[in-house]
């Protein structure tokens, strides 16, 4: 594998609206991020992915962009952005922006011009169809509920939006649109970005000509996947984008890729792939249901292990996965992957290490390093996220009571991850001096950065040790490039694997509250990391305490 500058890095995702508010308006902002760079540097972070902070009506919290060349005033100014780039550069850090080009906002000037003249240049930037008396052009259901078609204001046409109606899809079949996208990417790379996280990208290729598919719910609509499965040739767009942009800057790109076919993986992230890396969502999608969130199954430790190993085996030496336990679209990883009632510093550290030591690029989502947990929502009115509001309705339509529906969607709500970052035990977790845009998780007096920075045994300091281990010159080669082989794969509630390079490491996690024994393949040289102070051992048999995790050098 050709070595790349980003292989040995550690990445951190910031959701700007909820990270740190510098001016008391209740909304996180870029100056707030700048003021926390030392915190991130102290943790050991190199690459920062910013969720969108472009000009936007924030209908989908910034994933609906109305100007790709501007910063939304709520987040700051272009000068702030330039200062952030300069300050990160000083610290040898890199900024990734979010590239949201499957769709723009209905408030983007392209869309306004398309409304004025649907048959003109900008009409062809979107997917427009004549409005019909007898129904919609197709029966596809949008990701956020309801049909994907909406009237194009002031015209006799309708436009396609696979996400929210305020997110009209861009027509990638049109070379003029593609040129605009490349121009924008290069403009930002010229400003000094390290690269991009690429949003919702599998949606850019549509199966043409459009047609309806078998309905899969009582609403008579079908999941958008039915169409995407038939869409071939996305590689032409992605390869062109790579060649016209990222490649010329040696930029890092990580794709939000779902449902890729195994034979396509080399094209996506192999040598000269479309992207540098792509996220592993195998654990995330486990248990999801066609019917909706209310019908989704929780994941067990054994399934979590299986999902991780499946992805690792699938990728092998082809390229680099980006590993996550959560992001801004998911509930908190500790609340999801640790059995209910068992969240504690030990189990959080175990999960952290099991994920962090996988082969690939580790991404930490803001607050993950503190072990931030899901929110105890008490009313649907506390929820801002459009996805959750739709899933709540889906649950009600399926016959759940409002209480049951709230409980069901609370488990998966994207707002679990979007509550303000918990900096301290001051009011509003020290996130803002004003009123936070989204309620702070009430557990902030006990879970916050200030406490954890002082406590050598905190979850945060454990993350810091994990990061330091990845960067330790003695182990770096093995942790970054070493092969991953599962160990004691079938032992219940135990997750263990080797990383073999110039050193041999064994990672062992007792994924349950009760102690359990595990037999080592051979004696070890030293313990590199342990989430307890001791390790009980009798010859080659370890007795691991509840959620005990050790990283051993054999
Ligand atoms: C991606 C983003 C998500 C957004 C969607 C539409 O999945 O991560 O937050 O809602 O795309 O842009
Ligand atoms: Ca602010």
């Amino acid at each position: 594998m050709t070595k790349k500058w980003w292989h040995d890095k550690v990445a951190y995702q910031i959701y700007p609206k909820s990270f740190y508010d510098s001016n008391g308006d209740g909304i996180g902002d870029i100056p707030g991020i700048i003021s926390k760079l030392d915190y991130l540097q102290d943790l050991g972070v190199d690459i920062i992915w910013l969720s969108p902070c472009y000009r936007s009506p924030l209908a989908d919290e910034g994933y609906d962009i109305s100007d790709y060349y501007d910063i939304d005033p709520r987040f700051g100014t272009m000068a702030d952005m330039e200062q952030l780039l300069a300050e990160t550069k000083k610290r040898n850090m890199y900024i990734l922006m979010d590239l949201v080009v499957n769709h723009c906002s209905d408030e983007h000037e392209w869309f306004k011009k398309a409304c004025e003249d649907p048959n003109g240049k900008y009409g062809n930037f979107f997917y427009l169809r004549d409005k019909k008396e007898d129904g919609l052009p197709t029966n596809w259901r949008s990701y956020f509920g309801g049909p994907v078609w909406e009237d194009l204001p002031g015209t006799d046409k309708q436009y396609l939006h696979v996400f929210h109606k305020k997110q009209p899809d861009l027509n990638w079949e049109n070379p003029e649109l593609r040129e605009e996208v490349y121009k924008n990417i290069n403009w930002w790379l010229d400003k000094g970005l390290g690269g991009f996280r690429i949003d919702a990208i599998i949606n850019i290729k549509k199966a043409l000509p459009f047609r309806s598919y078998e309905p899969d719910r009582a609403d008579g609509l079908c999941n958008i996947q039915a169409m995407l499965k038939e869409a071939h040739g996305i590689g032409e767009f992605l390869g062109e984008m790579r060649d016209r942009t990222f490649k010329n800057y040696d930029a890092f790109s990580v794709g939000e890729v779902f449902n890729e076919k195994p034979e396509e993986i080399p094209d996506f992230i192999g040598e000269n792939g479309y992207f540098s890396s792509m996220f592993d969502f195998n654990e995330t999608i486990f248990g999801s249901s066609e019917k909706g969130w209310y019908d989704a199954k929780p994941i067990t430790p054994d399934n979590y292990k299986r999902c991780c190993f499946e992805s690792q085996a699938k990728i092998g030496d082809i390229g680099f996965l980006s590993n996550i336990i959560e992001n801004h679209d998911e509930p908190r990883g500790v609340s999801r992957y640790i059995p209910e009632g068992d969240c504690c510093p030990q189990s959080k550290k175990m999960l952290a290490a099991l994920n962090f030591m996988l082969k690939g690029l580790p991404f930490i989502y803001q607050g993950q390093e503190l072990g931030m947990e899901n929110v105890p929502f008490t009313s649907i009115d506390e929820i801002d996220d459009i996805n959750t509001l739709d899933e709540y309705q889906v649950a009600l339509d399926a016959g759940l009571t409002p209480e049951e529906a709230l409980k069901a969607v609370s488990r998966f709500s994207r707002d679990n991850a979007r509550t303000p970052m918990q900096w301290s035990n001051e009011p509003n977790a020290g996130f803002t001096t004003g009123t936070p845009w989204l309620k702070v998780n009430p557990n902030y007096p006990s879970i916050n950065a200030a406490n954890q920075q002082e406590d050598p045994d905190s979850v945060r300091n454990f993350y810091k040790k994990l990061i330091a281990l990845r960067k330790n010159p003695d182990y770096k080669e093995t942790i970054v490039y070493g092969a991953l082989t599962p160990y004691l794969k079938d032992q219940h509630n135990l997750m263990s694997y080797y990383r073999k390079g110039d050193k041999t490491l064994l990672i062992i996690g007792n994924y349950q509250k009760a102690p359990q024994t595990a037999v080592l393949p051979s004696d070890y040289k030293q313990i590199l990391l342990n989430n307890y102070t001791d390790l009980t051992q009798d010859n080659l048999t370890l007795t691991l305490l509840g959620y005990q995790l050790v990283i051993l050098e054999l």
Side-chain angles (χ1 to χ4, degrees):
M1 186 180 289
T2 317
K3 295 197 171 169
K4 296 281 168 58
W5 64 265
W6 48 267
H7 279 162
D8 59 358
K9 303 288 184 264
V10 171
Y12 188 97
Q13 180 189 355
I14 288 182
Y15 195 69
K17 200 172 181 186
S18 302
F19 192 60
Y20 186 63
D21 174 22
S22 70
N23 62 354
D25 65 358
I27 296 177
D29 45 53
I30 297 172
I33 297 173
I34 296 172
S35 71
K36 296 294 185 184
L37 287 178
D38 291 337
Y39 168 90
L40 296 176
Q41 190 173 36
D42 172 69
L43 189 61
V45 167
D46 316 280
I47 296 179
I48 299 172
W49 154 26
L50 295 183
S51 275
C53 46
Y54 309 90
R55 191 177 280 273
S56 162
L58 305 188
D60 186 21
E61 298 303 354
Y63 285 90
D64 48 318
I65 297 169
S66 54
D67 187 346
Y68 290 95
Y69 295 91
D70 202 2
I71 297 295
D72 194 90
R74 284 163 285 197
F75 297 132
T77 61
M78 191 58 80
D80 293 332
M81 188 66 208
E82 281 158 2
Q83 199 196 338
L84 174 63
L85 286 166
E87 290 295 329
T88 44
K89 199 161 177 209
K90 267 192 218 161
R91 294 169 175 82
N92 292 319
M93 291 165 133
Y94 303 82
I95 294 285
L96 309 180
M97 286 186 67
D98 220 304
L99 184 70
V100 188
V101 288
N102 173 68
H103 44 266
C104 59
S105 161
D106 66 342
E107 297 183 31
H108 193 287
E109 65 161 354
W110 296 335
F111 192 78
K112 291 184 190 157
K113 287 183 181 160
C115 295
E116 281 160 22
D117 181 11
N119 298 315
K121 168 172 170 172
Y122 291 100
N124 197 26
F125 271 41
F126 299 93
Y127 290 103
L128 306 184
R129 291 293 181 271
D130 291 332
K131 190 172 174 172
K132 296 187 293 184
E133 288 295 303
D134 59 343
L136 300 169
T138 66
N139 69 340
W140 311 340
R141 183 184 310 107
S142 106
Y143 287 105
F144 296 151
V148 296
W149 296 100
E150 198 69 29
D151 291 351
L152 186 70
T155 72
D156 55 0
K157 305 223 180 258
Q158 295 188 307
Y159 68 93
L160 174 77
H161 61 90
V162 303
F163 290 94
H164 193 259
K165 64 179 178 202
K166 286 188 68 66
Q167 295 169 298
D169 279 55
L170 292 166
N171 177 11
W172 274 71
E173 303 291 336
N174 177 359
E176 277 183 299
L177 175 271
R178 300 204 299 276
E179 286 306 317
E180 287 290 346
V181 171
Y182 307 152
K183 191 175 103 190
N184 176 253
I185 296 174
N186 290 332
W187 187 86
W188 278 105
L189 290 173
D190 283 334
K191 274 201 178 291
L193 285 190
F196 287 94
R197 175 267 185 179
I198 298 155
D199 184 70
I201 196 69
I202 46 145
N203 297 284
I204 64 170
K205 185 75 191 181
K206 274 69 172 171
L208 292 163
F210 289 168
R211 68 175 183 91
S212 290
Y213 299 83
E214 199 58 41
D216 53 28
R217 285 188 199 166
D219 59 7
L221 304 177
C222 75
N223 192 301
I224 200 86
Q225 297 303 329
M227 177 277 287
L228 290 176
K229 246 184 252 156
E230 288 197 351
H232 301 290
I234 192 172
E236 280 161 41
F237 296 156
L238 298 181
E240 183 183 86
M241 174 160 71
R242 169 201 58 210
D243 293 342
R244 298 286 308 281
T245 62
F246 315 132
K247 202 172 174 174
N248 308 323
Y249 294 79
D250 196 18
F252 173 76
S253 57
V254 51
E256 188 193 23
V257 178
F258 286 99
N259 300 321
E260 74 289 349
K261 301 178 188 79
E263 65 274 17
E264 288 173 349
I265 293 171
D267 299 336
F268 274 88
I269 58 166
E271 204 80 46
N272 198 32
Y274 309 136
F275 306 126
S276 312
S277 179
M278 63 189 202
F279 289 108
D280 174 26
F281 291 120
N282 209 26
E283 304 77 47
T284 318
I285 59 178
F286 179 90
S288 57
S289 161
E290 292 264 295
K291 293 185 191 163
W293 289 357
Y294 75 89
D295 190 50
K297 277 182 239 14
I299 184 166
T300 62
D302 285 345
N303 284 325
Y304 179 79
K305 165 172 71 177
R306 196 167 310 134
C307 287
C308 291
F309 289 166
E310 236 174 52
S311 297
Q312 292 282 323
K314 203 170 68 178
I315 304 300
D317 281 336
I318 298 173
F320 252 67
L321 276 177
S322 286
N323 295 314
I324 58 165
I325 69 166
E326 65 204 40
N327 64 26
H328 67 294
D329 291 331
E330 301 298 333
R332 290 289 180 175
V334 294
S335 301
R336 179 185 223 164
Y337 300 123
I338 296 169
E340 208 174 335
D342 285 0
C343 258
C344 62
Q346 255 65 33
S347 58
K348 290 174 181 181
K349 292 174 190 172
M350 178 212 65
L351 181 66
L354 290 177
N355 181 265
F356 205 87
M357 294 299 288
L358 293 171
K359 191 171 176 182
L361 185 64
F363 270 75
I364 300 169
Y365 177 74
Q366 66 183 45
Q368 178 186 324
E369 77 278 21
L370 308 176
M372 276 180 66
E373 298 173 6
N374 275 357
V375 182
F377 295 109
T378 53
S379 156
I380 192 68
D381 300 332
E382 288 172 357
I383 305 234
D384 164 86
D385 167 35
I386 49 180
N387 199 3
T388 312
L389 296 176
D390 170 56
E391 291 286 351
Y392 179 72
Q393 192 55 48
V394 169
L396 292 178
D397 293 346
L400 276 73
T401 65
E403 293 71 34
E404 291 166 342
L406 178 66
K407 191 161 171 241
V409 300
S410 291
R411 286 196 294 150
F412 297 105
S413 176
R414 307 198 292 181
D415 280 353
N416 284 305
R418 296 178 179 186
T419 58
M421 173 76 175
Q422 293 165 207
W423 290 107
S424 70
N425 58 12
E426 281 160 37
N428 298 315
F431 160 73
T432 180
T433 52
T435 307
W437 73 277
L438 191 65
K439 205 177 102 178
V440 176
N441 191 320
N443 66 13
Y444 74 87
S446 59
I447 300 180
N448 65 66
N451 281 352
Q452 296 201 17
Q453 276 174 286
E454 276 167 28
D455 172 5
D457 287 330
S458 66
V459 176
R460 184 184 187 274
N461 277 319
F462 190 81
Y463 267 96
K464 204 170 153 175
K465 287 179 199 157
L466 278 169
I467 296 174
L469 181 62
R470 184 178 168 89
K471 296 189 171 183
N472 180 326
D474 290 341
Y475 300 103
K476 187 167 154 168
E477 195 67 20
T478 303
I479 296 175
V480 176
Y481 297 105
L484 183 144
T485 319
Y487 179 63
L488 299 176
K489 198 168 150 193
D490 298 319
Q491 187 166 330
H492 176 56
N493 283 357
L494 187 92
M495 181 163 165
S496 178
Y497 54 89
Y498 293 104
R499 296 298 314 278
K500 292 183 187 170
D502 54 351
K503 302 268 193 303
T504 299
L505 308 184
L506 186 64
I507 295 91
I508 312 181
N510 175 23
Y511 212 138
Q512 62 180 20
K513 205 172 186 167
Q516 101 170 283
T517 56
V519 180
L520 294 174
S522 61
D523 212 350
Y524 56 86
K525 289 193 187 119
Q526 56 171 325
I527 303 176
L528 299 179
L529 210 56
N530 183 355
N531 63 351
Y532 280 82
T533 40
D534 297 313
L535 179 61
T536 308
Q537 184 182 3
D538 181 9
N539 289 318
L540 290 182
T541 303
L542 303 180
T543 300
L544 299 164
L545 301 173
Y547 293 105
Q548 185 161 17
L549 172 288
V550 285
I551 302 179
L552 306 174
E553 180 181 354
L554 299 187

